[in-house]
Amino acid sequence: MSREIKEATPELAREIIPLLREDTIEEISAIYGTGDDVLLSHFARAISRANEAYIAYADDKPICIIGYWTSSFGSPIAHPWVFCTKFADDYPIEFFFTGRKYVETLLEKFDVLTNHVNSDNVRAIRWLKLMGFKVSRDTAFTTRYGVAFRKYEMRK
C-alpha cells in the first residue's frame, strides 16, 4: 500500500470536492449553506487561511484534507480541522494514523488544540475522541441554519 502526503492547494481541493463524504458536506453546509459554489469557496478559504493544509493519500486515493489555523502569530492555540472523503471509509487504519500523527505534531508546537464539530456528526465525534480530544456535551453555538455545534479540545 502506498501512502503520501501532499501540500493542499485550491486546485487539488477542487478535485476532492466531488469525493467528500456526505457528513463532511453536511457539516460545511450547516455553517456556510449549500451548493457546489459554497463548497468550493469554503475549501479555497480554508486552505488559503490555514497555517498548514495537507491532503493524505492511500493507494493514490485522497482520504482527507487536514490542516489548522491560529488566531494570531505565536499563539499557543491551534484550531485543527479535517475534511473526509469517501475513501476514508475504505482506509480506516490509514485515516486513523494520519490523524494521530498530525495531532502529535501539532501538540509539539501548541499547548491547546480546539475547534467545533456538528453535534449530529456522530462519526466525527467518535473519531475526535479516538484521537484523544475531549468533546463537550454542551452546545457551543447554533448556526443560522439551526445546527448545533460542540467544542472539542485537547491540551498538552
Side-chain angles (χ1 to χ4, degrees):
M1 168 174 316
S2 66
R3 295 183 186 124
E4 187 177 9
I5 302 286
K6 292 182 183 177
E7 188 171 337
T9 64
E11 294 77 26
L12 286 173
R14 204 173 280 118
E15 295 172 15
I16 292 186
I17 288 173
L19 304 174
L20 290 176
R21 221 165 52 182
E22 191 60 36
D23 57 348
T24 298
I25 293 170
E26 289 171 4
E27 185 137 342
I28 295 168
S29 299
I31 298 173
Y32 300 102
T34 59
D36 290 344
D37 290 344
V38 171
L39 284 174
L40 182 56
S41 171
H42 177 67
F43 263 63
R45 186 172 44 247
I47 290 169
S48 67
R49 290 184 178 173
N51 295 66
E52 296 179 346
Y54 301 99
I55 301 174
Y57 293 84
D59 290 337
D60 298 321
K61 295 179 179 121
I63 57 174
C64 66
I65 301 178
I66 194 164
Y68 78 90
W69 58 273
T70 59
S71 55
S72 63
F73 180 76
S75 173
I77 302 170
H79 305 278
W81 48 264
V82 62
F83 301 121
C84 298
T85 72
K86 297 168 186 174
F87 297 118
D89 295 336
D90 297 334
Y91 297 91
I93 293 169
E94 288 75 15
F95 178 56
F96 174 81
F97 284 110
T98 296
R100 174 78 84 196
K101 184 168 178 50
Y102 194 65
V103 166
E104 289 171 359
T105 301
L106 290 179
L107 284 173
E108 291 173 6
K109 300 183 210 180
F110 301 99
D111 296 333
V112 179
L113 308 179
T114 186
N115 212 331
H116 298 90
V117 62
N118 180 334
S119 296
D120 295 330
N121 194 339
V122 176
R123 190 185 321 195
I125 291 169
R126 187 175 345 133
W127 183 79
L128 287 164
K129 288 179 177 179
L130 281 171
M131 293 295 105
F133 286 94
K134 292 183 180 171
V135 180
S136 172
R137 293 180 186 265
D138 301 325
T139 298
F141 68 90
T142 302
T143 69
R144 64 183 171 175
Y145 303 104
V147 179
F149 276 70
R150 294 159 52 183
K151 182 179 181 176
Y152 62 87
E153 184 174 276
M154 182 184 298
R155 294 178 176 270
K156 274 189 181 179

